[in-house]
């Protein structure tokens, strides 16, 4: 599979519970025109040899469309990690992707047989956690922007941008800041995400680079609602690409 450029963002999540008999980790390699879903699979059942292991993802065919599937030939029980892949093409301009159902599919063979790989076995499948691709997955962190550079770039982008207001059902400012930083995928400038003890408000500046290296900036004001017990958030984003501003401010959910 070839990609249009070397731009890549990598995001890892767990696809099964820790107690599951099949341990699956999902690593998403996000490129400009496609996403490669890498599933790291471990078999913990001693009496089973798994063959023809693959993952089936329910794509909608509009935002993402399956291009290729690479399966694991065989996976015995133990520490060995097998890797299977699903490659999907992404429609141009589509960055908001609904959660997708996924299942692990394989043939089960008796690992205690004399030659288990030659056993006929039977088809089986295992439901995985939904596959999610958040807007933040298309953004790389930007640690090279300091406060002075941020102010200069912020002013240079003009006042177009996009502003949105939220009421967050979160009890503390620090928890609210941490949650928002994780959701938008931007980097707090010079560790400005640390809230002082007893503060009733806090402002953070954030920076990141979207697909293709496009710089995007955001400023977020957090106000503690002492009467309602929540936090009010006002977040503004600016970039040379206006749709990206709306994408970032709309990623809080």
């Amino acid at each position: 599979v070839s990609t249009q450029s070397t731009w890549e963002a990598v995001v890892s999540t767990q696809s099964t519970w820790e107690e599951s008999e099949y341990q699956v980790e999902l690593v998403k390699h996000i490129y400009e025109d496609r996403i490669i879903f890498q599933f790291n699979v471990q078999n913990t059942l001693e009496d089973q040899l798994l063959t023809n292991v693959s993952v089936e993802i329910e794509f909608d065919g509009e935002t993402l469309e399956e291009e290729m599937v690479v399966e694991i030939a065989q996976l015995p029980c133990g520490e060995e990690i097998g890797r299977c892949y699903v490659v999907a093409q992404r429609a141009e301009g589509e960055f908001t992707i609904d959660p997708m159902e996924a299942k692990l599919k394989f043939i089960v063979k008796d690992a205690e047989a004399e030659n288990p790989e030659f056993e006929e076995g039977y088809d089986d499948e295992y439901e995985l956690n939904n596959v999610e691709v958040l807007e933040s997955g298309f953004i790389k962190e930007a640690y090279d922007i300091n406060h002075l550079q941020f102010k200069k770039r912020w002013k240079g982008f003009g006042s177009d941008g996009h502003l949105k207001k939220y009421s967050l059902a979160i009890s503390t400012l620090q928890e609210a800041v941490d949650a928002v930083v994780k959701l938008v995928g931007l980097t707090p400038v010079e560790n400005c995400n640390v809230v002082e003890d007893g503060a009733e408000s806090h402002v953070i500046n954030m920076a990141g680079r979207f697909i293709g290296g496009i710089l995007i900036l955001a400023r977020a004001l957090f106000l503690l609602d002492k009467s309602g017990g929540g936090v009010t958030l006002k977040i503004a984003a600016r970039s040379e690409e206006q749709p990206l501003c709306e994408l970032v401010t709309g990623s809080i959910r």
Side-chain angles (χ1 to χ4, degrees):
V1 176
S2 62
T3 56
Q4 290 183 352
S5 77
T6 57
W7 195 97
E8 179 189 15
V10 180
V11 182
S12 299
T13 55
Q14 197 67 23
S15 290
T16 54
W17 299 104
E18 290 185 6
E19 301 81 10
S20 301
E21 48 269 67
Y22 310 114
Q23 291 295 305
V24 182
E25 178 193 34
L26 169 57
V27 181
K28 289 164 279 190
H29 303 267
I30 301 174
Y31 296 90
E32 289 194 26
D33 59 342
R34 54 173 47 83
I35 301 175
I36 298 177
F37 299 92
Q38 172 187 325
F39 293 89
N40 301 330
V41 187
Q42 183 180 13
N43 172 21
T44 68
L45 297 179
E46 294 182 357
D47 60 343
Q48 290 188 0
L49 170 67
L50 307 183
T51 65
N52 303 92
V53 182
S54 64
V55 172
E56 180 180 280
I57 301 176
E58 293 292 332
F59 295 114
D60 62 8
E62 296 180 1
T63 55
L64 291 175
E65 185 174 0
E66 184 181 292
E67 182 180 9
M68 181 188 300
V69 174
V70 180
E71 65 180 27
I72 304 166
Q74 64 177 30
L75 186 63
C77 173
E79 297 298 322
E80 178 181 342
I81 303 294
R83 294 174 177 82
C84 57
Y85 301 86
V86 179
V87 182
Q89 286 192 325
R90 181 178 55 80
E92 186 176 356
E94 293 291 345
F95 303 107
T96 300
I97 301 170
D98 293 331
M100 299 166 288
E101 294 183 359
K103 61 181 69 172
L104 187 69
K105 305 186 75 173
F106 46 87
I107 297 174
V108 178
K109 298 186 178 182
D110 183 3
E112 298 174 348
E114 185 174 353
N115 295 297
E117 62 271 21
F118 298 118
E119 294 285 313
E120 182 176 353
Y122 59 90
D123 292 329
D124 202 356
E125 59 186 41
Y126 192 86
E127 186 175 345
L128 302 177
N129 295 338
N130 283 351
V131 173
E132 293 187 332
V133 181
L134 302 178
E135 291 88 347
S136 58
F138 298 97
I139 298 174
K140 281 186 176 181
E141 297 172 323
Y143 290 106
D144 58 331
I145 303 293
N146 59 36
H147 281 302
L148 186 61
Q149 292 169 322
F150 180 94
K151 291 179 180 179
K152 184 177 180 180
R153 296 290 187 90
W154 183 264
K155 185 177 181 180
F157 282 141
S159 58
D160 291 339
H162 194 257
L163 173 67
K164 201 162 184 179
K165 181 179 179 181
Y166 294 90
S167 294
L168 307 178
I170 299 178
S171 58
T172 71
L173 286 179
Q174 189 63 68
E175 289 176 328
V177 169
D178 293 343
V180 169
V181 169
K182 183 177 180 179
L183 284 170
V184 300
L186 299 174
T187 308
V189 177
E190 296 185 7
N191 299 317
C192 63
N193 55 312
V194 179
V195 180
E196 292 184 3
D197 292 339
E200 296 182 1
S201 65
H202 190 73
V203 176
I204 61 172
N205 297 328
M206 297 175 285
R209 287 187 171 81
F210 205 75
I211 284 180
I214 302 171
L215 182 66
I216 183 163
L217 306 177
R219 299 194 72 182
L221 168 65
F222 299 82
L223 297 170
L224 189 63
D225 184 355
K226 292 181 290 185
S227 59
V231 174
T232 298
L233 165 68
K234 293 181 180 179
I235 181 169
R238 292 183 184 180
S239 175
E240 62 187 48
E241 297 288 342
Q242 178 64 21
L244 299 186
C245 302
E246 298 177 19
L247 190 73
V248 168
T249 57
S251 63
I252 311 298
R253 61 179 183 274

